[in-house]
Amino acid sequence: EARAAARLTPHQGLVLDAAGVLDPRATGRAISPTSLEQLAACPLAWFYLRGLEIAPPEEPADDPGTWLDPLDRGSLLHTVFERFTSAWLSAQDRIGTDEAKASLDDIVTAALDEWRARLPPPSAAVFAAQAAEIRRSAHAFREMEIAAMRRRDAGRWHQTEFEFGGADGPVLPLAGGEQLRIRGRIDRIDRLPDGRLVVIDYKTGGAGAHRKDPKRGPFNGGRSLQTL
């Protein structure tokens, strides 16, 4: 009878005692930029995933011609980039050598083997084709870094996979005296010749979602906080 009534009550989901329980401003709980983007884009989806910790079940795609989807491919390449830069962090000047090239090949092979054990490919031919494409992408990354290193204004690799946030993390002041505690992970930090730091975030997909659009504003109402 309460659910059929016209008045909003806890039976329809209106639980006044729960107000503010998930609000990072009230709880002091650190929140990541990705979580903030989702909150701005769809509060209900944020509530399900971040509040109730309910995620939709993963349904494997039945595609005999594909092994890794774009998200998995991006994760694999991210692992390769991080491992390569970490391995050569103190020897960046030598990433153009044959030794560095062989090192990158070994890193790619190890990452491919890890993913193949976790997610078996539909066939050997499909694995070989996608593995070759991933290897080309990895070497394109190396060539890009070699070209950047030769520029006078290029930065030097300073740190990889830098995590920040938590109890002692950065705090953003908000209107009305409120504040928001931030946490996250930076793929790479480079140091410029003048001492300034540059934050590098690896993107392996399309850049359309991160391009500036004057109609949407610089942050698209909070839906795009990782802008180019």
Side-chain angles (χ1 to χ4, degrees):
E1 290 178 354
R3 291 188 63 186
R7 187 169 61 92
L8 287 176
T9 69
H11 295 278
Q12 286 81 28
L14 180 63
V15 184
L16 296 179
D17 290 341
V21 170
L22 299 176
D23 190 338
R25 298 170 301 177
T27 62
R29 180 179 179 182
I31 188 169
S32 68
T34 301
S35 182
L36 282 172
E37 288 179 339
Q38 185 180 38
L39 179 59
C42 183
L44 184 59
W46 184 91
F47 172 67
Y48 287 150
L49 182 61
R50 310 287 180 171
L52 301 183
E53 298 183 355
I54 298 175
E58 294 185 6
E59 297 182 2
D62 187 15
D63 185 355
T66 302
W67 175 39
L68 299 179
D69 62 25
L71 185 61
D72 289 338
R73 173 187 174 276
S75 296
L76 191 156
L77 283 174
H78 183 284
T79 298
V80 169
F81 299 162
E82 191 276 327
R83 290 179 180 176
F84 178 71
T85 52
S86 295
W88 292 84
L89 191 65
S90 59
Q92 185 180 353
D93 291 330
R94 298 177 55 241
I95 62 173
T97 64
D98 290 340
E99 181 185 1
K101 182 178 180 180
S103 171
L104 180 57
D105 275 326
D106 291 341
I107 290 172
V108 173
T109 298
L112 287 169
D113 289 343
E114 292 168 9
W115 272 91
R116 180 165 53 178
R118 186 189 318 168
L119 184 65
S123 69
V126 170
F127 172 79
Q130 197 157 17
E133 186 275 327
I134 288 171
R135 198 173 296 276
R136 287 194 299 271
S137 297
H139 282 286
F141 169 80
R142 172 175 164 269
E143 293 296 332
M144 179 184 67
E145 292 296 330
I146 293 173
M149 185 179 60
R150 291 171 179 165
R151 298 198 308 265
R152 290 185 177 181
D153 60 345
R156 303 287 300 180
W157 299 345
H158 179 65
Q159 194 164 354
T160 62
E161 294 297 305
F162 175 75
E163 294 189 28
F164 63 91
D168 299 323
V171 175
L172 297 180
L174 304 177
E178 295 179 318
Q179 60 184 23
L180 194 64
R181 194 172 296 279
I182 303 296
R183 64 176 176 83
R185 174 180 294 178
I186 298 174
D187 291 341
R188 196 178 88 212
I189 300 175
D190 289 1
R191 185 180 294 278
L192 296 177
D194 61 7
R196 290 180 299 163
L197 300 178
V198 177
V199 173
I200 305 294
D201 189 58
Y202 299 137
K203 298 297 183 186
T204 55
H210 304 282
R211 289 198 177 99
K212 295 180 180 179
D213 185 345
K215 295 182 179 180
R216 297 181 178 181
F219 299 106
N220 191 19
R223 299 174 182 87
S224 181
L225 301 179
Q226 304 179 63
T227 57
L228 290 180

